[in-house]
Amino acid sequence: MTRNCSRIDRAARRLLSSIAGTRDARVSGLALAQMRGAGEVLMAAGLLVPRGAGSCVVAEDDLDDMPVPVINHPITGHPGHLGNSVWQDERTSARRRVHALDMMATARRTVNRLDCTLGDDPVPYLGGAALDFGKARLPRRTARVGIWVARGLTRREGFEAFRELVRCRPSDGLRVVLVLDPPGRAPIPFIRGHEFVALEDVVEHEDGLAVAPEILAARLFKGPSHQGPVWVSGDGGVLIVHGKWHEFTGGKQKIAVAMLAEAWLRGDPVLPIARILEEAECGRSVKRLKDLFGGHRTWRDVIRESGSNAWLEV
């Protein structure tokens, strides 16, 4: 991978995240003009590009603030738009132009420091809102992890579309999803096998957009700075309850931990032990969770079982 010398400063990165979190990842020239140069930084880096020859404007006689496209009048040919009651003429200018986030260019720069198996030819999903870069080797991790870059996951419709996508294309290990949306806008629900990482948490500040491999590896090991009462890594290898850190290395243990944490986060924390053992593909000799976790020195602190059920003790 090669370095990009055009640095993305914090203001430009915030603008990029704001655009990425919208439905169509588009913005008007008028809005960009209010950003004090942040838009110019993104355009100079090739991350924000004009969207066709169209323009848009906010209708003055509309109660909504959604932009409407500027078109040519069918009779006079003058540019304008149809308001609630009358045709409104518009002057053509750069501020009326529509710009769009170049998701492919943005995602490639985001993973520029990572050695991804599909770095030169990522696979797009969801109309380009999610890009699969294959797998990457990170510092202090023996197994490669899947790397996706996605946007729009803080919107309910966007997340549901993403959830359906991963049902069809499940991860065969840990899959890291680098999220371009504004951090803190809305929590992204847990999906087993997936680690959602905000770009802001792992960015290399000298570049301003590329992910730093060492920081990403530390984030996967320690979790995010804001964890809530319960946080679990996508693969179930790390469970943090009220700030107390628990690590699990066995593949079957990880599946069980991820299931229990997912149930707690969903608000229905009690799970049948039989279901856990079945999904973890335990043999007939494992009949209780104590058989699965018996050798682990911390599991009794947070994992409880009684009768045929198990839950996290939070």
Side-chain angles (χ1 to χ4, degrees), residues 105-129:
T106 301
R108 280 177 168 160
R109 178 155 177 175
T110 299
V111 303
N112 193 41
R113 305 291 189 270
L114 305 179
D115 182 15
C116 299
T117 55
L118 298 178
D120 295 329
D121 191 23
V123 180
Y125 301 115
L126 303 179

Side-chain angles (χ1 to χ4, degrees), residues 122-150:
V123 180
Y125 301 115
L126 303 179
L131 292 166
D132 179 0
F133 282 87
K135 292 191 175 184
R137 191 175 299 284
L138 297 177
R140 300 184 299 279
R141 294 185 71 95
T142 56
R144 288 180 174 267
V145 299
I147 300 291
W148 284 18
V149 181

Side-chain angles (χ1 to χ4, degrees), residues 166-246:
V166 300
R167 285 196 187 106
C168 300
R169 304 195 68 87
S171 173
D172 60 354
L174 178 62
R175 178 182 287 158
V176 176
V177 183
L178 300 167
V179 183
L180 302 181
D181 296 24
R185 171 180 287 182
I188 299 176
F190 177 79
I191 298 180
R192 233 188 307 165
H194 294 74
E195 187 75 28
F196 296 98
V197 178
L199 174 62
E200 191 69 24
D201 290 346
V202 293
V203 71
E204 181 185 278
H205 292 296
E206 289 185 3
D207 176 272
L209 194 60
V211 169
E214 298 80 5
I215 299 176
L216 177 57
R219 160 62 179 77
L220 296 180
F221 189 67
K222 291 296 185 181
S225 54
H226 302 287
Q227 298 166 347
V230 172
W231 180 84
V232 65
S233 61
D235 61 352
V238 176
L239 175 67
I240 301 176
V241 178
H242 292 302
K244 189 172 182 180
W245 190 81
H246 306 268

Side-chain angles (χ1 to χ4, degrees), residues 51-56 69-70 96-99:
R51 179 70 178 182
S55 302
C56 69
V70 173
R96 304 302 193 195
R97 293 295 301 275
V98 179
H99 294 76

